[in-house]
Amino acid sequence: MQVPPQANTNPNAKSNPRILILGAGVAGITAARTLYRNGHHNFLVIEARDEIGGRLRSHTFGNGTTIELGANWVQGTQVGDGPSNPIWDLARKHNARTVFNDYSSITTYDGSGLVNYTNVVDDAADNLDKISRLAGKRVADNLVDLNAREGYSLVGAKPQSSHDKVAEYFNFDWEYGDTPSATSLAAAGLVRVSQGTFSDEARLSIDQRGFKVIITAEAKEFLRPSQLLLSSTVRTIGYARSGVRVTLANGTLIFGDYVLCTFSLGVLQNDDVRFEPELPDWKMEAIQSVTMTTYTKVFLQFSRKFCWDFMPTRKEDAILHGAASPSTHRIFLLTLDSPKGQYSERIEALPDQQVQSEVMGVLHSMFPKTDIPPPSDFFFPRWHSDPLYRGSYSNWPASFTREHHDNLRASIGCGKRKRLWFAGEATSLRYFGTFSFLMLSVIY
Ligand SMILES: Cc1cc2nc3c(=O)[nH]c(=O)nc-3n(C[C@H](O)[C@H](O)[C@H](O)COP(=O)(O)OP(=O)(O)OC[C@H]3O[C@@H](n4cnc5c(N)ncnc54)[C@H](O)[C@@H]3O)c2cc1C
Ligand SMILES: *[C@@H]1O[C@H](CO)[C@@H](O)[C@H](O)[C@H]1NC(C)=O
Ligand SMILES: *[C@@H]1O[C@H](CO)[C@@H](O)[C@H](O)[C@H]1NC(C)=O
Ligand SMILES: *[C@@H]1O[C@H](CO)[C@@H](O)[C@H](O)[C@H]1NC(C)=O
């Protein structure tokens, strides 16, 4: 594409270039804040949805409880005056209400109901530590990457029984959003080391303003209404020597000097947004060589407690988890015999009613002697089929290299200037993705 001459009409392009920031998620708003803090106010944030937040997204459920469809945890806080997780800084600054989450306190079930195999879960946690150490050593020795399944085998972890497999799933798949065989051993080790930099603590947001408050409140401090364009879907991103040009779905053209794209990896992998000219091969290869996973939370509300009474432990529990006030207990149920892989994609294609009855089937097998009331509310987000996300977050397969990663982040030059820039979850070397895959969050 040739950007028409209008693009060049900014007389201040040299001293005060105009920057288009695409996406008002955490990355887009943080980028705007960085510009603002550096005294640069000539930017415009363009967002398809009618609110700021992106994958920080809440939903009013049941009798008015706010639930989180996307990110819900602050993964790591701070130890003493050590490094602090910037998400934790935002949560503290804006008084987001969070509770401590103890994953080591869990109650285990299998197809026959309540069965205690927490020792197997502990062993699986040790095995994850072992492969992380192995990963670190192999990276230091400059050895070729393996997948995490091969890593497990090398440290002698070969899950045989269904309990072994569930325990590994809880430790690994739930964290990386993918199976060990589909995940890079090196990257799996890197994520664990990175998360531990802040602290091992995970805190769950139960803020009724929604977890997104950490970024909406932050934006209020500096972003002027004229610097934010909501309900504006980007269709094409044009870049040329003379400047950049973004086309919205309604045909409006927006010109600038630089463009920063923070759309999810899933959006970049699909054809929802077109680049003009097409992205170079090295960029396309980097984009297509990372995996966009989907982690689906399924929410049910019940009019009365039915399983709590059967649980040996009540609070701070990963499968049974009590949060804050008695009316917002959340139970995280890991389906013990769920079909692996593509689960989210499969259920997204089904009608709600069918998903609900599958989930109820899992509950009936966990609580075989219990009369379970029908849920009074039911909801789950379809992240995979949403054209603004196309999944939940990124994961590295074993074939992914550091060069790919550098290329994923790299900006694209046009003549002397780098006009097209990239940011967002997938472009972070140490903090890409997060954790979790299939979770049933039961709320009453
Ligand atoms: C289910 C789920 C659970 C998660 N759990 C956690 C967690 O517990 N802890 C944690 O730390 N992280 C978690 N994450 C990851 C975290 O949410 C993301 O890493 C983070 O929010 C990504 O921010 P971002 O700004 O990079 O991308 P996004 O939030 O995706 O921002 C990109 C923005 O671009 C917009 N956009 C996309 N396409 C277009 C278009 N064509 N035109 C205009 N606008 C467009 C989108 O609407 C979006 O607002 C989770 C994510 C999901 C989905
Ligand atoms: C399960 O067994 C472990 C020992 O393997 C024990 O420490 C724990 O208390 C038991 N948990 C429950 C809920 O009984
Ligand atoms: C198209 O969208 C933009 C941004 O949302 C808006 O300013 C403009 O008025 C819209 N144009 C038309 C023709 O609807
Ligand atoms: C929801 O509210 C209605 C009316 O306020 C009440 O009758 C009902 O029991 C509540 N349901 C739950 C699950 O709390």
Side-chain angles (χ1 to χ4, degrees):
M1 181 205 73
Q2 285 303 308
V3 173
Q6 295 99 294
N8 233 354
T9 54
N10 177 4
N12 304 320
K14 270 223 175 76
S15 60
N16 188 24
R18 180 169 171 76
I19 300 170
L20 307 180
I21 299 175
L22 308 186
V26 174
I29 297 298
T30 311
R33 188 184 65 177
T34 303
L35 291 173
Y36 173 84
R37 284 182 176 170
N38 286 287
H40 186 95
H41 301 173
N42 191 11
F43 58 79
L44 179 68
V45 180
I46 304 174
E47 166 60 47
R49 293 189 50 235
D50 59 2
E51 63 170 3
I52 284 173
R55 281 173 266 173
L56 296 185
R57 186 168 183 179
S58 53
H59 174 78
T60 304
F61 187 69
N63 280 11
T65 307
T66 297
I67 55 174
E68 298 300 333
L69 306 181
N72 205 163
W73 281 269
V74 179
Q75 284 287 102
T77 54
Q78 185 177 24
V79 183
D81 55 6
S84 167
N85 181 347
I87 296 296
W88 180 232
D89 293 341
L90 285 173
R92 278 187 293 195
K93 179 175 171 190
H94 300 295
N95 296 312
R97 194 151 172 234
T98 62
V99 289
F100 176 64
N101 212 176
D102 184 2
Y103 287 112
S104 61
S105 165
I106 62 163
T107 307
T108 50
Y109 290 81
D110 68 14
S112 56
L114 186 61
V115 176
N116 186 352
Y117 53 95
T118 52
N119 58 331
V120 180
V121 178
D122 292 343
D123 289 347
D126 292 344
N127 290 335
L128 182 55
D129 283 340
K130 285 185 195 158
I131 67 162
S132 301
R133 280 197 297 274
L134 174 69
K137 193 171 175 311
R138 291 182 61 87
V139 170
D141 292 346
N142 238 330
L143 296 174
V144 69
D145 198 8
L146 299 174
N147 69 47
R149 169 61 61 221
E150 293 160 344
Y152 273 125
S153 299
L154 288 173
V155 302
K158 297 165 190 169
Q160 302 290 341
S161 71
S162 65
H163 290 173
D164 292 345
K165 288 176 186 167
V166 168
E168 185 189 87
Y169 177 90
F170 178 60
N171 268 277
F172 192 95
D173 305 40
W174 206 44
E175 172 126 353
Y176 296 97
D178 222 329
T179 60
S181 55
T183 302
S184 150
L185 177 65
L190 190 68
V191 169
R192 272 178 72 74
V193 171
S194 304
Q195 285 185 352
T197 321
F198 301 131
S199 76
D200 290 333
E201 188 184 46
R203 292 191 71 95
L204 180 77
S205 167
I206 53 160
D207 200 299
Q208 290 302 292
R209 296 169 294 175
F211 193 21
K212 66 185 171 218
V213 71
I214 64 169
I215 202 72
T216 54
E218 188 68 8
K220 274 208 189 89
E221 292 189 354
F222 70 93
L223 196 63
R224 291 197 304 265
S226 63
Q227 292 171 316
L228 176 65
L229 208 52
L230 293 174
S231 307
S232 303
T233 303
V234 172
R235 281 277 177 267
T236 68
I237 303 171
Y239 55 102
R241 273 167 190 272
S242 52
V244 300
R245 184 183 80 173
V246 163
T247 316
L248 301 184
N250 73 2
T252 299
L253 300 179
I254 301 174
F255 297 98
D257 298 298
Y258 297 94
V259 59
L260 172 68
C261 177
T262 74
F263 298 159
S264 79
L265 175 76
V267 169
L268 297 179
Q269 285 179 338
N270 287 281
D271 300 323
D272 305 300
V273 176
R274 258 194 2 263
F275 288 87
E276 295 176 339
E278 267 179 32
L279 293 173
D281 288 348
W282 58 265
K283 189 68 165 189
M284 290 308 299
E285 179 175 329
I287 289 171
Q288 298 300 349
S289 58
V290 200
T291 310
M292 188 70 178
T293 68
T294 305
Y295 148 39
T296 304
K297 306 179 190 185
V298 182
F299 297 89
L300 296 93
Q301 182 184 50
F302 295 98
S303 53
R304 64 179 165 83
K305 294 187 209 179
F306 62 88
C307 51
W308 291 257
D309 302 334
F310 294 81
M311 302 274 190
T313 53
R314 292 294 159 85
K315 293 268 177 197
E316 314 300 33
D317 184 315
I319 288 187
L320 167 64
H321 170 82
S325 72
S327 63
T328 57
H329 278 276
R330 287 158 160 83
I331 302 184
F332 303 120
L333 297 171
L334 207 56
T335 56
L336 304 181
D337 48 4
S338 76
K340 286 210 174 186
Q342 314 308 313
Y343 182 86
S344 297
E345 283 163 55
R346 188 177 71 80
I347 68 169
E348 281 192 21
L350 299 175
D352 282 15
Q353 194 52 46
Q354 189 173 340
V355 176
Q356 177 174 319
S357 63
E358 284 190 13
V359 171
M360 291 304 287
V362 174
L363 287 174
H364 284 300
S365 77
M366 290 177 72
F367 305 101
K369 298 196 186 79
T370 307
D371 171 31
I372 304 179
S376 49
D377 198 358
F378 174 86
F379 185 81
F380 77 101
R382 289 175 164 86
W383 289 104
H384 176 76
S385 27
D386 188 332
L388 300 179
Y389 303 93
R390 301 278 182 206
S392 52
Y393 41 79
S394 63
N395 187 45
W396 291 15
S399 58
F400 192 64
T401 66
R402 269 299 292 272
E403 287 71 26
H404 280 143
H405 200 268
D406 293 342
N407 287 347
L408 189 64
R409 257 173 308 160
S411 36
I412 296 184
C414 308
K416 280 209 289 280
R417 304 207 191 286
K418 294 192 183 306
R419 298 279 180 198
L420 172 58
W421 294 68
F422 293 87
E425 169 267 317
T427 64
S428 166
L429 182 57
R430 295 176 68 93
Y431 304 105
F432 66 88
T434 39
F435 63 118
S436 298
F437 174 51
L438 166 68
M439 184 174 77
L440 308 176
S441 299
V442 181
I443 295 188
Y444 77 91

